[in-house]
């Protein structure tokens, strides 16, 4: 896990900004995300920092799990790459962000590709759900099997966790 240590630490979301000017104000509740992509970036950083409270509060109430358990999570989230964003701007009420999240697990580099949907309610963006397109070791492409560990860090199999919302 990469924890920002100072105001000059680059944000893990890949925006190019320092954490204190990027995701920290969203994580603290000082500011709200202005777009679906900004919320996606802040949620990636929250996963990397294991910030359960922010993840749950930024999840739409209709699809939000009761809890997030990082107890069995050995995933070290490293880098986020936004592939594309559709809608999700200040004037939109819905948005879609496709991304690649790079992580390390058991000493090996992996990449997860997901398409996430977002919804704006009462002026605030929320994560609605996502569909994992693939999970692979760095350099190879493998489709996600339903029996694989869920990439969200729940400790459950993919078919018992996020597959339901993606189906």
């Amino acid at each position: 896990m990469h924890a920002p240590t100072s105001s000059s630490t680059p944000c893990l979301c890949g925006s190019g900004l320092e954490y204190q000017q990027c995701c920290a104000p969203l994580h603290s509740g000082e500011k709200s995300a202005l777009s679906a992509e900004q919320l996606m970036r802040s949620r990636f950083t929250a996963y990397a920092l294991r910030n359960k409270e922010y993840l749950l509060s930024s999840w739409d109430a209709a699809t939000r799990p009761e809890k997030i358990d990082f107890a069995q999570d050995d995933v070290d989230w490293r880098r986020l790459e936004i592939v594309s964003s559709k809608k999700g701007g200040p004037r939109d009420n819905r948005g879609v962000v496709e991304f690649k999240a790079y992580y390390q697990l058991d000493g090996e580099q992996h990449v997860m590709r997901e398409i996430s949907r977002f919804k704006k309610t009462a002026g605030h963006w929320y994560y609605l759900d996502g569909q994992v397109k693939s999970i692979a070791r760095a350099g190879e492409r493998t489709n996600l099997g339903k029996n694989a560990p869920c990439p969200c860090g729940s400790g459950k199999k993919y078919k018992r966790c996020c597959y339901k919302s993606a189906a």
Side-chain angles (χ1 to χ4, degrees):
M1 171 173 56
H2 295 78
T5 55
S6 72
S7 61
S8 63
T9 302
C11 193
L12 297 172
C13 77
S15 67
L17 300 171
E18 296 172 353
Y19 174 72
Q20 295 301 322
Q21 282 70 52
C22 189
C23 290
L26 279 71
H27 291 168
S28 70
E30 180 183 326
K31 292 183 180 179
S32 293
L34 300 176
S35 67
E37 181 177 324
Q38 187 180 29
L39 183 63
M40 178 64 246
R41 289 180 179 280
S42 69
R43 286 179 55 83
F44 172 83
T45 302
Y47 268 105
L49 300 176
R50 291 169 170 71
N51 184 341
K52 297 177 202 178
E53 294 78 20
Y54 181 76
L55 290 167
L56 290 171
S57 71
S58 62
W59 209 312
D60 185 73
T63 57
R64 180 186 313 135
E66 283 186 35
K67 65 178 184 169
I68 296 174
D69 183 10
F70 289 118
Q72 298 176 13
D73 183 9
D74 294 332
V75 174
D76 185 8
W77 298 101
R78 298 295 183 108
R79 180 170 66 91
L80 177 69
E81 176 186 330
I82 301 297
V83 175
S84 67
S85 291
K86 294 178 187 164
K87 299 205 176 220
R91 295 182 182 181
D92 298 314
N93 288 320
R94 300 243 177 208
V96 175
V97 178
E98 183 175 354
F99 66 91
K100 292 180 182 178
Y102 295 84
Y103 62 96
Q104 186 169 334
L105 178 64
D106 298 328
E108 295 184 349
Q109 300 295 319
H110 297 268
V111 61
M112 175 183 76
R113 188 175 189 133
E114 180 176 317
I115 298 174
S116 292
R117 296 186 315 149
F118 297 85
K119 154 179 164 177
K120 187 163 58 173
T121 305
H124 295 281
W125 282 102
Y126 294 93
Y127 169 77
L128 187 59
D129 58 24
Q131 183 175 16
V132 177
K133 301 306 277 182
S134 65
I135 293 180
R137 284 193 199 105
E140 62 183 54
R141 180 163 169 79
T142 305
N143 286 332
L144 180 65
K146 293 179 193 175
N147 289 316
C150 193
C152 78
S154 68
K156 298 177 184 178
K157 289 184 178 182
Y158 178 60
K159 69 181 178 185
R160 302 263 185 245
C161 193
C162 291
Y163 176 76
K164 290 189 253 180
S165 65

